[in-house]
Amino acid sequence: MKREKSENPANARRFVSAQQVAKRAGVSRSAVSRAFTPGASIAPETREKVMRAALELGYHVNDLARGLLANRSRLVGLVVTKPEVGFRAHLVSALTRALVLRGSVPLVINTGSMEQELHAAQAALFGYRAEATIILSGSPPASFVDLARRNGQPLIMIGRAETDCDHVRIDNSGAARMAARILVERGHRHLALAGVAAATPSLAERERAFTQEARALGMTVAAGHARDATYAGGQAAADALFARDGSRHERPDAVFCVNDLMAIGLIDRARGRFGLRIPEDVAVIGFDDIPEAAWDAYRLTTFRQDPEKMAEAAVAHLERRLADPDAPPELLRLEAALVERETTRSR
C-alpha cells in the first residue's frame, strides 16, 4: 500500500517552520519574520494572513534562534540546591511563575552537593548564555558566583551575603529577636534553639540574632544542632534537647527552630518519644510559614516568608539591572510577619 505524505503538522516529527507558514499564507519568508517582530513594517492584510496561517499550523516563533542571532537569551537561570525541599520549593515555584509572566524562560539549575554535579550545573547555565541568574540562599558556593560575574551575567541574590550584587533578603534578624522577646515575655525561662551545624547565611543570621537577644534578656540558650534543616533534622535536634540527663526542669520549655520543617520534626518527636505537650510543656516557634505549618496536627506559630513577594522583588531587580547595567547594587529587605497559632502560649 502506498503511503502519502501528510501536511498535517500533528503528524510531523519537526516543529512547524516559518517557511511552512509563508507557503500556507502565500507570502515571503521575510513577511513571516516581520509579522512576528514588534514594530516591524508590514501591511495589515499581510499580517492577518500570516497570523491565520500560523494559527492553523500551530506555529510558534523560535525564540532560542532569535536569541542566538541577537546574542541575547530570554533564559533566566535559577540556581538552587534541593529545590524540592521545604520553603525553597514554594519560592522556586513563585519565581518560575513570575518569570514566565515577564516573558522569560526559567532554567532551574540544581547544583547538587558533589563537585561533579556543580561542574555540570555551570556548563548548563553558562552554555545557554542565560540573560541573568538568580541564586538562592545556601547554594552554590562563592566560586560559582564569581564565575557568573566573570561571564558578565546580572546576578540577583536571595538570602545571600556576597557584595556587589543585587539582593533580596528577609529580615531574619528582626524576626528572630522578636521570637526571643515573645518567649521571655510569656514566662519561658529555659530557651533552646534548633538549628544546623553548617547553616546557610539566612539560617545562621536567625540563630545568631535569637541567641544574642535571649542573652540580652538574661536568658541562656541550649542549642540542638542537626546536620540538615529538614524534618529529620528537627527530630535529631529534639533528641539532643530533650533527652538530657538530670531533672526535668533542665529541659527547654521553649524552642525557636530556624525553619518550619525542623519545627514540625521537633514537635512530632517531642510528643511521640518524650510525651511532651505543645505548648503546655514546650512552646515552639518556626520560620517560613510553609503550608504544613497551618495543618491541624501542628498549628505552628511562625514567621512568614512570602514567596510571591520575594519573586516580585527579584524580578524588579532584574528589570532594573537590565535597563541600567551600571547602576549601583540594591538591597530589597522584606519583613517576615509573625503568624501566631497554637504552639505558643496566649498573651
Side-chain angles (χ1 to χ4, degrees), residues 203-275:
L203 300 187
E205 184 180 1
R206 295 169 201 171
E207 291 191 21
R208 184 168 56 252
F210 177 82
T211 302
Q212 288 175 349
E213 186 69 15
R215 289 174 177 168
L217 295 170
M219 301 291 118
T220 58
V221 179
H225 284 109
R227 187 177 66 177
D228 298 307
T230 59
Y231 178 88
Q235 291 182 309
D239 290 340
L241 292 170
F242 300 133
R244 296 183 170 187
D245 296 332
S247 70
R248 177 169 172 74
H249 296 291
E250 293 181 353
R251 285 179 174 169
D253 61 3
V255 184
F256 174 61
C257 302
V258 294
N259 70 14
D260 288 349
L261 276 181
M262 291 196 76
I264 288 170
L266 181 138
I267 289 171
D268 281 346
R269 185 57 62 93
R271 287 170 173 166
R273 175 168 291 184
F274 300 102

Side-chain angles (χ1 to χ4, degrees), residues 158-215:
I158 298 182
R160 300 272 298 196
E162 285 85 0
T163 58
D164 300 327
C165 298
D166 294 312
H167 284 267
V168 177
R169 290 182 190 160
I170 292 293
D171 186 8
N172 295 294
S173 180
R177 291 181 183 278
M178 182 186 293
R181 292 194 298 271
I182 288 171
L183 295 174
V184 173
E185 288 169 2
R186 299 186 188 183
H188 299 283
R189 294 296 178 262
H190 303 286
L191 306 188
L193 169 80
V196 290
T200 65
S202 292
L203 300 187
E205 184 180 1
R206 295 169 201 171
E207 291 191 21
R208 184 168 56 252
F210 177 82
T211 302
Q212 288 175 349
E213 186 69 15
R215 289 174 177 168

